Amino acid sequence: MIIHLKSSTSEAEAKVLAEQNKAVLFKDECFVLVTSSKVKEANAALQLAADKIVVTESDIQLAGKPYRADKRTIQVADWSIGGHTQHTVLITGPCSVESEEQIEASAQLCVETGVRVLRAGCYKPRTSPYTFQGLGLNGLLLLDKMRQRFGLRIITEIRDSSHADEVIEYADIVQVGAKAMYDQSVLRKCGKSGKPVLLKRGFGSTLQEFVQAAEFVLSGGNSQVMLCERGIRTFETKTRFTLDLCGAVWLKKHTNLPVIIDPSHAIGFAYGVADLSRASLALGVDGLLIETHPNPAEALSDAEQQLNFDEFRALKNSLSTLATALGRKLI
Amino acid sequence: MIIHLKSSTSEAEAKVLAEQNKAVLFKDECFVLVTSSKVKEANAALQLAADKIVVTESDIQLAGKPYRADKRTIQVADWSIGGHTQHTVLITGPCSVESEEQIEASAQLCVETGVRVLRAGCYKPRTSPYTFQGLGLNGLLLLDKMRQRFGLRIITEIRDSSHADEVIEYADIVQVGAKAMYDQSVLRKCGKSGKPVLLKRGFGSTLQEFVQAAEFVLSGGNSQVMLCERGIRTFETKTRFTLDLCGAVWLKKHTNLPVIIDPSHAIGFAYGVADLSRASLALGVDGLLIETHPNPAEALSDAEQQLNFDEFRALKNSLSTLATALGRKLI
Amino acid sequence: MIIHLKSSTSEAEAKVLAEQNKAVLFKDECFVLVTSSKVKEANAALQLAADKIVVTESDIQLAGKPYRADKRTIQVADWSIGGHTQHTVLITGPCSVESEEQIEASAQLCVETGVRVLRAGCYKPRTSPYTFQGLGLNGLLLLDKMRQRFGLRIITEIRDSSHADEVIEYADIVQVGAKAMYDQSVLRKCGKSGKPVLLKRGFGSTLQEFVQAAEFVLSGGNSQVMLCERGIRTFETKTRFTLDLCGAVWLKKHTNLPVIIDPSHAIGFAYGVADLSRASLALGVDGLLIETHPNPAEALSDAEQQLNFDEFRALKNSLSTLATALGRKLI
Amino acid sequence: MIIHLKSSTSEAEAKVLAEQNKAVLFKDECFVLVTSSKVKEANAALQLAADKIVVTESDIQLAGKPYRADKRTIQVADWSIGGHTQHTVLITGPCSVESEEQIEASAQLCVETGVRVLRAGCYKPRTSPYTFQGLGLNGLLLLDKMRQRFGLRIITEIRDSSHADEVIEYADIVQVGAKAMYDQSVLRKCGKSGKPVLLKRGFGSTLQEFVQAAEFVLSGGNSQVMLCERGIRTFETKTRFTLDLCGAVWLKKHTNLPVIIDPSHAIGFAYGVADLSRASLALGVDGLLIETHPNPAEALSDAEQQLNFDEFRALKNSLSTLATALGRKLI
């Protein structure tokens, strides 16, 4: 149950109510309490204190359409996605920051093709300790340089909570990786960060769990959350993962959060990225996360799935044509 | 290994070679032998008799790009899909033939919206013996009536081999259902049928097995096979199945068979069918199979996923716009 | 809803009631009607005609504990499993009948180790048309010879309905293969066969669908059905399938049918068969289906997963010890 | 590639070699380097410095049988599991520490039934922010009290790295939860902890990834790692997860780490825990983790799957009988 407290409620009163009702408390335009969804009726004290009460079916509460029918707007610099914008944001860059030369080439590709957000990881969630683990803080500093030099926005990933504060400091959009989707410490830090958050779905996670992970951020007081579908693990092994566009449609239908698609990690092979990007755009998603590399064959991670720059230029052009036909605007 | 025998080879000689090499034999423009893909080198007798020899990596042989790079063309009446046509064929109709009134309404929707192929099942592969099982032969007769009255082409499904001959007789395009994908008796009958075959992927079947099922039809001498992705079974239960568009892209890349998408069975809910249809079209597929019903709420099977007629009309319009932008032609 | 009609009811009356209520009708000790489980209340005519009425939650009806709490007994020759027997039946033999020499060696292993049921396939559900497809009727004739020569019982598999009648004629226990689990034509023939049926779970099939497949047989009037778990398809590829012992426990808890385990197909590698057999026995299953071959390395199918004879002898001994400790009897 | 450096090698020399070869370095009986498994040949410098070199097929290196054929021994207090002990350790207790009264009752059950290790979570990895999250540090203090009062060993779970240090301090065996399996920060802390680690398999994780997660701990210099299979996520929803005993057998065959089974989380229902525990014991596992609660119906988490005390006593007895028949010792 979600309870909007009257604007006259003091913080002290709100805290008492939160504790009495085992509710999470945060401040939006007013104080908001969220109890377990098992609570279906407000007691007298809550009814007295409340401006608005929403009973929810499951613990998809703040993210659900029944609470808020309109899609949330994510504000980044002077532009936004979601809400009524009909924007689809393109995000591109390499899997990992590898060197200044490499990330600068990627930044220049963004500038050339009109892409506003540069992506690259600095803390890589590799499954083996014996492979390249990312440049860490040095990577973040290189991304910061690119932001200043080219006026780009930066999205980069938190792998675990040991470096969450640094990533939150340097990123314009904080990415929570698929393998960290259940990490409450990371999610709670994002909830307090005030920065837009792109939350990736764990590849073994249900849609219910995925949206509930977003609830950790939303109930921390941060309403700037995007959901990113990036492929789930199934029995099929010819492709790296299985892009769940049925799931993306479900998210559009049942939640109020913008939906981003990452086709690169889903299929795991460059040959399929263009087709899947066009399909995702035609589905009406709010953003696309596409891996590119100046020289994919030599990439230190995810070599097979990154587009080279010419492939990306061609894809960008076809997406622009398609967006126009769909009444959407590619930004 | 695929061996094209010289045009001078007699049927008797071809049969001897087939037996000696444990090969499947069929007649296309010439006699063709297909051995296990484990055979990597032709013996002297085969080399002498052959015009062309293709060694294949796996038992995806006749369906594979290495054997035949060009997409196969499926000829139905005076139109075709696949090949170089850039056609995407729309197929619609109810899950099941329920009555003459119902199927006639569906046929009229086809005529009104320019759809050339009417679909409806007569032998339903229900998972319970206690639910509606289809009208059987009476259903086929009703479909035949619609064909004659409205000049439509008919696609309908074989559930198992007990009625395969009837379905092959009455259908213009024979559908092999997902639950019959491994049924060799059905597949072999299709291989001898001379009719276009739409083969649905089993929801628990790998892409490798799916294409190998097509090999049963192709190696029977029938080159008119289309592959239909209709959702696979995964851990996600918010949607009925998970549409595997990564798989569809893989099929486009690695096989020479046209690819059809069935978004209705994949998501299992009408609300998502339009989005998924547009996504599939943007992916460049050769056909779409969309369930519609004059009154979905009263359908005897698959009630939740069938579009009503107004929803289909709106979808058809948006698909036409999209097809133009994509350089494809909706037929 | 399951309705036992009064013993005074004539067949003609039963048929009328079946038609009026869209119910399946069969004869057990009395005439039995089964309607859809959505029917929750019997109308006046049914109430008048009935001796007993059971309302069921889902279309697991005849197979469910609420209808019949006691486990069914399967009678084969002069011995039985299920019921109150505490028997676990061992079944062994090769994947396929390959030659008289091979199947005779297998039959002799049965005799030597006290195994009563010999298994071997004659119609192989291979996923490729270019591999060994089984000996067909010749295989059945060889199995018949073994039965007569060694007094063994024979279990062999129906792949599809084109040869269902032959298999039913020659087998003592009819196996419905995993890929035929949805084949209504096969299931209905089994329902009329009067022979014990071992129904394998499709590797992509839910437990609900699996038990509903058994309902096709049971509602045909054949109460001799065993359920065989043989591994489901998951994301894990180090083993061929994933043996679902949680599912086996669920079947024991919720159905009245004996449960058989096939560890060989589940793991797909000989090294794991002994451990999984012991685990299954400790779970309290009614039977084990274990693949053995006189020379696994040269087997024409499933070479990697078949035990050689010494491995089977050792396994048999350890199972006997274990059975005693568990209070079960290995037969 | 794993390289054991000669005992004469100094730490400084070892560090230089590690850096030159992009290898992980740790100290066991000698300095050990581990490079990527892609390195298949040692250069001259390494060959000169090495006592022993093991080339590995994949990044399952230190955990693999090719490196070390014997199962590792885990030493806890004055007893051990793994190695040649034939021990199966029983671990029990509630899902969460809820109160002193509750955890004391659980501790007394351990004492009464001869169980040496008490389990209970303090930081719960719930999927919703609106449910009970565990007692945190207060829970750890209660567990510490039970250890001192009853002489039990304590196993408790790290949810994320924000509280990893506290858990490592208070636990005798550190549990890394399924949702933290990819958390490198947690794994590296465990690698430096010197305490036995029970690593749970992520429910969406392959066996390859699971064992590679153990490599993060092992390559930190901690050889005391146990692998715990606790169910994977599949399409089947009648049970909470699917216990992967095929996977457990694979781990026994291919790794040198002890294997523990958690049947409670796998099936998610108390009715199946006894059967699955017996099956796991018959499989020859090194330990069982079984949830019990003084009053399961009132548990704050996992209410449906916890055994009550009488159920556990009965299970313990049947496991003892079974262990004897299997030649194993239950401790």
Side-chain angles (χ1 to χ4, degrees):
Chain A
M1 193 164 62
I2 306 169
I3 303 107
H4 283 210
L5 298 179
K6 289 181 176 156
S7 59
S8 56
T9 316
S10 71
E11 188 166 353
E13 290 167 328
K15 282 183 173 168
V16 169
L17 285 166
E19 194 158 328
Q20 285 172 345
N21 292 281
K22 293 184 188 168
V24 175
L25 166 69
F26 69 95
K27 183 98 199 317
D28 195 12
E29 287 162 29
C30 61
F31 286 110
V32 181
L33 298 181
V34 191
T35 70
S36 163
S37 59
K38 287 183 187 151
V39 180
K40 298 297 186 193
E41 216 166 329
N43 56 35
L46 281 178
Q47 287 189 349
L48 207 68
D51 234 15
K52 177 183 168 184
I53 293 179
V54 181
V55 175
T56 58
E57 210 180 304
S58 79
D59 271 352
I60 295 181
Q61 300 204 57
L62 300 167
K65 279 267 168 65
Y67 168 60
R68 182 175 166 152
D70 269 14
K71 198 193 292 181
R72 291 170 191 260
T73 305
I74 310 296
Q75 192 69 34
V76 184
D78 59 347
W79 50 270
S80 57
I81 61 165
H84 296 282
T85 62
Q86 296 292 320
H87 285 171
T88 296
V89 65
L90 271 188
I91 303 170
T92 197
C95 176
S96 308
V97 182
E98 296 172 3
S99 68
E100 178 158 358
E101 193 186 3
Q102 173 243 24
I103 198 64
E104 184 164 351
S106 296
Q108 284 171 330
L109 177 71
C110 288
V111 172
E112 174 201 333
T113 55
V115 167
R116 303 174 188 208
V117 189
L118 173 66
R119 61 144 285 154
C122 302
Y123 302 87
K124 301 308 298 174
R126 306 303 294 276
T127 57
S128 161
Y130 312 124
T131 51
F132 176 63
Q133 308 286 318
L135 294 187
L137 186 57
N138 287 333
L140 292 179
L141 294 172
L142 286 172
L143 288 173
D144 187 42
K145 214 186 245 188
M146 296 307 118
R147 170 172 37 215
Q148 304 204 12
R149 195 176 296 164
F150 297 102
L152 297 167
R153 300 296 130 189
I154 300 299
I155 178 169
T156 190
E157 175 178 1
I158 302 179
R159 184 181 62 205
D160 59 61
S161 71
S162 64
H163 52 264
D165 295 334
E166 289 91 319
V167 171
I168 288 171
E169 182 185 344
Y170 283 99
D172 297 296
I173 303 174
V174 178
Q175 179 178 321
V176 179
K179 289 173 186 158
M181 193 205 87
Y182 295 111
D183 190 323
Q184 297 183 15
S185 167
V186 167
L187 295 171
R188 290 183 197 280
K189 282 180 190 232
C190 287
K192 296 297 170 209
S193 73
K195 293 217 170 158
V197 174
L198 183 142
L199 177 64
K200 284 198 158 185
R201 181 183 184 183
F203 43 73
S205 305
T206 62
L207 293 166
Q208 182 78 30
E209 291 173 351
F210 182 25
V211 184
Q212 286 185 185
E215 294 280 335
F216 279 92
V217 184
L218 295 167
S219 67
N222 185 350
S223 74
Q224 304 258 98
V225 182
M226 294 166 270
L227 299 174
C228 179
E229 159 61 26
R230 43 75 73 213
I232 58 172
R233 188 164 267 171
T234 70
F235 63 79
E236 183 53 60
T237 57
K238 292 286 190 195
T239 58
R240 192 174 178 191
F241 293 96
T242 299
L243 186 63
D244 183 11
L245 289 187
C246 287
V249 172
W250 187 91
L251 293 171
K252 281 180 66 182
K253 173 80 175 172
H254 294 282
T255 80
N256 54 44
L257 303 177
V259 175
I260 312 293
I261 300 290
D262 172 352
S264 305
H265 280 88
I267 190 163
F269 294 99
Y271 74 77
V273 170
D275 269 351
L276 291 171
S277 297
R278 284 186 285 264
S280 301
L281 180 59
L283 200 88
V285 298
D286 302 285
L288 286 167
L289 200 61
I290 296 168
E291 283 194 349
T292 49
H293 192 282
N295 188 348
E298 291 185 6
L300 297 180
S301 53
D302 284 353
E304 289 199 284
Q305 77 197 29
Q306 304 191 56
L307 298 187
N308 67 35
F309 287 3
D310 279 347
E311 289 166 336
F312 183 75
R313 289 178 188 111
L315 171 57
K316 172 67 169 50
N317 285 339
S318 78
L319 289 173
S320 295
T321 311
L322 193 56
T324 306
L326 292 160
R328 296 194 67 83
K329 181 148 190 274
L330 214 61
I331 65 168
Chain B
M1 192 163 64
I2 306 169
I3 304 107
H4 284 210
L5 297 179
K6 290 180 177 156
S7 59
S8 57
T9 317
S10 72
E11 187 165 355
E13 290 167 326
K15 280 184 174 165
V16 169
L17 284 166
E19 194 158 328
Q20 285 172 343
N21 293 281
K22 294 184 188 168
V24 175
L25 167 68
F26 68 95
K27 183 98 199 318
D28 194 14
E29 288 161 29
C30 62
F31 286 110
V32 181
L33 297 180
V34 191
T35 70
S36 163
S37 59
K38 287 184 187 151
V39 179
K40 301 294 187 196
E41 217 166 329
N43 56 34
L46 281 178
Q47 287 188 349
L48 208 66
D51 236 15
K52 176 184 169 186
I53 293 179
V54 181
V55 175
T56 58
E57 211 180 304
S58 79
D59 272 352
I60 295 180
Q61 301 204 58
L62 299 166
K65 280 265 169 67
Y67 168 61
R68 181 176 167 152
D70 268 14
K71 199 194 290 184
R72 290 171 192 260
T73 304
I74 310 296
Q75 191 68 35
V76 184
D78 59 347
W79 49 271
S80 57
I81 60 165
H84 297 281
T85 63
Q86 296 292 321
H87 285 171
T88 296
V89 64
L90 270 187
I91 303 171
T92 197
C95 177
S96 308
V97 182
E98 297 172 2
S99 68
E100 179 159 357
E101 192 186 6
Q102 173 241 24
I103 197 65
E104 184 164 351
S106 295
Q108 285 172 327
L109 178 71
C110 289
V111 173
E112 174 201 333
T113 55
V115 168
R116 303 173 187 208
V117 189
L118 174 65
R119 62 144 285 157
C122 302
Y123 302 87
K124 300 309 298 174
R126 306 304 293 275
T127 58
S128 161
Y130 311 124
T131 51
F132 176 63
Q133 309 286 316
L135 294 186
L137 186 56
N138 288 333
L140 292 179
L141 294 172
L142 286 172
L143 287 174
D144 187 42
K145 211 185 248 188
M146 296 308 118
R147 170 170 39 214
Q148 304 204 12
R149 195 175 298 165
F150 298 102
L152 296 168
R153 300 297 131 189
I154 300 298
I155 179 169
T156 189
E157 175 178 0
I158 302 179
R159 182 181 63 204
D160 59 61
S161 71
S162 63
H163 52 264
D165 294 335
E166 290 91 317
V167 171
I168 288 170
E169 183 185 344
Y170 284 98
D172 297 295
I173 302 174
V174 178
Q175 179 177 321
V176 179
K179 289 173 185 157
M181 193 205 86
Y182 296 111
D183 190 324
Q184 296 184 16
S185 167
V186 167
L187 296 171
R188 290 183 197 280
K189 283 180 188 229
C190 288
K192 297 297 170 208
S193 73
K195 294 219 169 156
V197 175
L198 182 142
L199 176 64
K200 284 199 158 185
R201 180 183 186 184
F203 44 72
S205 305
T206 62
L207 293 166
Q208 182 76 29
E209 291 174 351
F210 182 26
V211 185
Q212 286 186 185
E215 295 279 335
F216 280 92
V217 184
L218 296 167
S219 68
N222 184 351
S223 74
Q224 305 258 100
V225 182
M226 293 166 271
L227 299 173
C228 179
E229 159 61 27
R230 42 76 72 214
I232 58 172
R233 189 163 267 171
T234 69
F235 62 78
E236 183 53 60
T237 58
K238 293 284 190 195
T239 59
R240 193 173 177 192
F241 292 97
T242 299
L243 185 63
D244 184 12
L245 290 186
C246 287
V249 172
W250 187 90
L251 293 171
K252 282 179 65 182
K253 173 80 177 174
H254 294 281
T255 80
N256 54 45
L257 302 177
V259 175
I260 313 293
I261 300 290
D262 173 351
S264 305
H265 280 88
I267 190 162
F269 295 99
Y271 74 77
V273 170
D275 268 352
L276 292 171
S277 297
R278 285 187 284 264
S280 301
L281 180 59
L283 201 86
V285 298
D286 301 285
L288 286 167
L289 202 60
I290 296 168
E291 284 195 348
T292 48
H293 192 284
N295 188 349
E298 291 185 6
L300 296 181
S301 53
D302 285 351
E304 289 198 284
Q305 76 197 28
Q306 303 190 58
L307 297 188
N308 67 35
F309 287 3
D310 279 347
E311 289 167 337
F312 182 76
R313 290 179 187 109
L315 171 57
K316 172 68 169 48
N317 286 340
S318 78
L319 290 174
S320 296
T321 311
L322 193 56
T324 307
L326 292 160
R328 296 194 68 83
K329 179 149 191 272
L330 214 62
I331 66 168
Chain C
M1 192 163 63
I2 306 169
I3 304 107
H4 284 210
L5 297 179
K6 289 180 177 155
S7 59
S8 57
T9 317
S10 73
E11 187 166 355
E13 290 167 326
K15 280 184 174 167
V16 170
L17 285 166
E19 194 158 327
Q20 285 172 344
N21 292 281
K22 294 183 188 169
V24 176
L25 167 68
F26 68 95
K27 183 99 199 317
D28 196 11
E29 289 161 28
C30 62
F31 286 110
V32 181
L33 298 180
V34 192
T35 69
S36 163
S37 59
K38 287 185 187 151
V39 179
K40 301 294 187 196
E41 218 166 329
N43 57 34
L46 282 179
Q47 288 188 347
L48 208 65
D51 235 16
K52 176 182 169 186
I53 293 179
V54 181
V55 175
T56 58
E57 210 180 305
S58 79
D59 271 352
I60 295 181
Q61 301 204 57
L62 299 167
K65 280 265 168 68
Y67 169 61
R68 183 176 165 150
D70 269 13
K71 200 194 289 182
R72 290 171 192 260
T73 304
I74 310 296
Q75 190 69 35
V76 184
D78 59 348
W79 49 270
S80 58
I81 60 164
H84 296 283
T85 63
Q86 296 291 321
H87 286 171
T88 296
V89 64
L90 270 188
I91 302 171
T92 196
C95 177
S96 308
V97 182
E98 296 172 3
S99 68
E100 178 159 358
E101 192 187 5
Q102 172 242 22
I103 197 66
E104 184 165 350
S106 296
Q108 285 172 327
L109 177 70
C110 289
V111 173
E112 174 201 333
T113 55
V115 168
R116 305 174 187 207
V117 190
L118 173 66
R119 61 145 285 155
C122 302
Y123 301 88
K124 300 309 299 174
R126 306 303 294 274
T127 57
S128 161
Y130 311 124
T131 50
F132 176 63
Q133 309 286 317
L135 294 186
L137 186 56
N138 288 332
L140 292 178
L141 294 172
L142 287 172
L143 288 173
D144 187 42
K145 213 185 246 187
M146 297 307 118
R147 170 171 39 213
Q148 305 204 11
R149 194 175 297 165
F150 298 102
L152 296 168
R153 301 297 130 188
I154 300 298
I155 178 168
T156 189
E157 174 178 2
I158 301 179
R159 183 182 62 205
D160 58 60
S161 69
S162 64
H163 52 266
D165 294 335
E166 288 92 318
V167 170
I168 288 171
E169 183 186 343
Y170 285 97
D172 297 295
I173 303 173
V174 178
Q175 179 176 322
V176 179
K179 288 173 186 158
M181 193 204 87
Y182 297 111
D183 191 322
Q184 296 183 16
S185 167
V186 167
L187 295 171
R188 290 183 197 279
K189 283 179 190 232
C190 288
K192 297 297 170 209
S193 72
K195 292 218 171 158
V197 174
L198 182 142
L199 177 63
K200 283 198 159 186
R201 180 182 185 183
F203 44 72
S205 304
T206 61
L207 294 165
Q208 181 77 30
E209 291 173 352
F210 181 26
V211 185
Q212 286 185 184
E215 294 279 335
F216 280 92
V217 184
L218 295 167
S219 67
N222 184 352
S223 74
Q224 304 259 98
V225 182
M226 293 166 271
L227 299 173
C228 180
E229 158 62 26
R230 43 76 72 215
I232 57 172
R233 189 163 268 170
T234 69
F235 63 78
E236 183 53 61
T237 57
K238 293 284 190 195
T239 59
R240 193 173 177 191
F241 292 98
T242 299
L243 185 62
D244 183 12
L245 289 187
C246 287
V249 172
W250 187 91
L251 293 171
K252 281 179 67 181
K253 172 82 176 173
H254 294 281
T255 80
N256 54 45
L257 302 177
V259 175
I260 312 293
I261 300 290
D262 173 350
S264 305
H265 280 87
I267 190 163
F269 295 99
Y271 73 78
V273 170
D275 269 352
L276 292 170
S277 297
R278 284 186 285 264
S280 301
L281 180 59
L283 201 86
V285 299
D286 301 285
L288 286 168
L289 201 61
I290 296 168
E291 283 194 348
T292 48
H293 192 282
N295 189 348
E298 290 184 6
L300 296 180
S301 53
D302 284 353
E304 290 198 283
Q305 77 198 27
Q306 304 190 58
L307 298 188
N308 66 37
F309 288 3
D310 279 347
E311 289 167 337
F312 182 75
R313 289 179 188 111
L315 171 57
K316 171 69 170 47
N317 287 339
S318 78
L319 289 173
S320 296
T321 311
L322 194 54
T324 307
L326 292 160
R328 296 194 69 82
K329 180 148 190 275
L330 213 63
I331 65 168
Chain D
M1 194 163 60
I2 306 169
I3 304 108
H4 283 210
L5 297 179
K6 289 179 177 157
S7 59
S8 57
T9 317
S10 72
E11 187 166 355
E13 289 167 328
K15 281 184 174 167
V16 169
L17 284 166
E19 193 158 329
Q20 285 171 345
N21 292 280
K22 293 183 189 170
V24 175
L25 167 69
F26 68 94
K27 184 99 197 317
D28 194 12
E29 288 162 29
C30 62
F31 286 110
V32 181
L33 297 181
V34 192
T35 70
S36 164
S37 59
K38 288 183 186 151
V39 179
K40 300 294 187 195
E41 217 167 328
N43 56 34
L46 281 179
Q47 288 189 348
L48 207 67
D51 234 16
K52 177 182 169 186
I53 292 179
V54 181
V55 175
T56 59
E57 210 181 303
S58 79
D59 271 352
I60 295 180
Q61 301 204 60
L62 299 167
K65 280 266 168 65
Y67 169 60
R68 182 177 166 151
D70 269 15
K71 198 193 291 182
R72 291 171 191 259
T73 304
I74 310 297
Q75 191 70 34
V76 184
D78 59 348
W79 49 271
S80 58
I81 61 166
H84 296 282
T85 63
Q86 295 292 322
H87 285 171
T88 296
V89 64
L90 270 187
I91 303 171
T92 198
C95 177
S96 308
V97 182
E98 296 172 2
S99 68
E100 179 159 357
E101 191 186 6
Q102 173 242 23
I103 197 66
E104 184 165 349
S106 296
Q108 284 171 330
L109 178 70
C110 288
V111 172
E112 173 201 333
T113 55
V115 168
R116 302 174 189 207
V117 189
L118 173 66
R119 62 144 285 156
C122 302
Y123 301 87
K124 300 308 299 173
R126 306 303 294 274
T127 58
S128 161
Y130 311 124
T131 50
F132 176 63
Q133 308 287 317
L135 295 186
L137 186 57
N138 288 333
L140 292 179
L141 294 173
L142 286 172
L143 288 174
D144 187 42
K145 213 185 245 187
M146 297 307 117
R147 171 173 35 215
Q148 305 205 10
R149 196 175 297 165
F150 297 102
L152 297 168
R153 300 297 130 190
I154 300 299
I155 179 169
T156 190
E157 175 177 1
I158 302 179
R159 184 181 63 205
D160 59 60
S161 71
S162 64
H163 51 264
D165 294 334
E166 289 92 318
V167 171
I168 289 171
E169 182 185 345
Y170 284 98
D172 297 296
I173 302 173
V174 178
Q175 178 177 321
V176 179
K179 289 173 185 157
M181 193 205 85
Y182 296 111
D183 190 323
Q184 296 184 17
S185 167
V186 166
L187 296 171
R188 290 183 198 279
K189 282 180 190 232
C190 288
K192 296 297 171 208
S193 72
K195 293 218 170 157
V197 174
L198 182 142
L199 177 64
K200 284 199 157 183
R201 180 182 184 183
F203 44 71
S205 304
T206 61
L207 294 165
Q208 182 77 30
E209 291 174 351
F210 181 27
V211 185
Q212 286 185 184
E215 295 279 335
F216 279 93
V217 184
L218 295 167
S219 68
N222 184 351
S223 74
Q224 305 258 99
V225 182
M226 293 166 271
L227 299 173
C228 179
E229 160 61 28
R230 41 76 71 214
I232 58 172
R233 188 164 267 171
T234 69
F235 62 79
E236 183 53 61
T237 58
K238 293 284 190 196
T239 58
R240 192 172 177 192
F241 292 96
T242 300
L243 185 63
D244 183 11
L245 289 187
C246 287
V249 172
W250 187 92
L251 293 172
K252 280 178 67 181
K253 173 80 175 173
H254 294 282
T255 79
N256 54 44
L257 303 177
V259 175
I260 312 292
I261 299 290
D262 173 352
S264 305
H265 280 87
I267 190 164
F269 295 99
Y271 74 76
V273 170
D275 268 352
L276 292 170
S277 297
R278 284 187 285 264
S280 301
L281 180 59
L283 200 86
V285 298
D286 302 286
L288 286 167
L289 201 61
I290 297 169
E291 284 195 347
T292 48
H293 192 282
N295 188 348
E298 291 185 5
L300 296 181
S301 53
D302 284 353
E304 289 199 284
Q305 77 197 28
Q306 304 190 57
L307 299 187
N308 67 35
F309 287 3
D310 278 347
E311 289 166 336
F312 183 75
R313 289 179 188 112
L315 172 56
K316 173 67 169 49
N317 286 339
S318 79
L319 290 173
S320 295
T321 311
L322 194 55
T324 307
L326 293 159
R328 296 194 68 82
K329 179 147 192 273
L330 212 63
I331 66 168

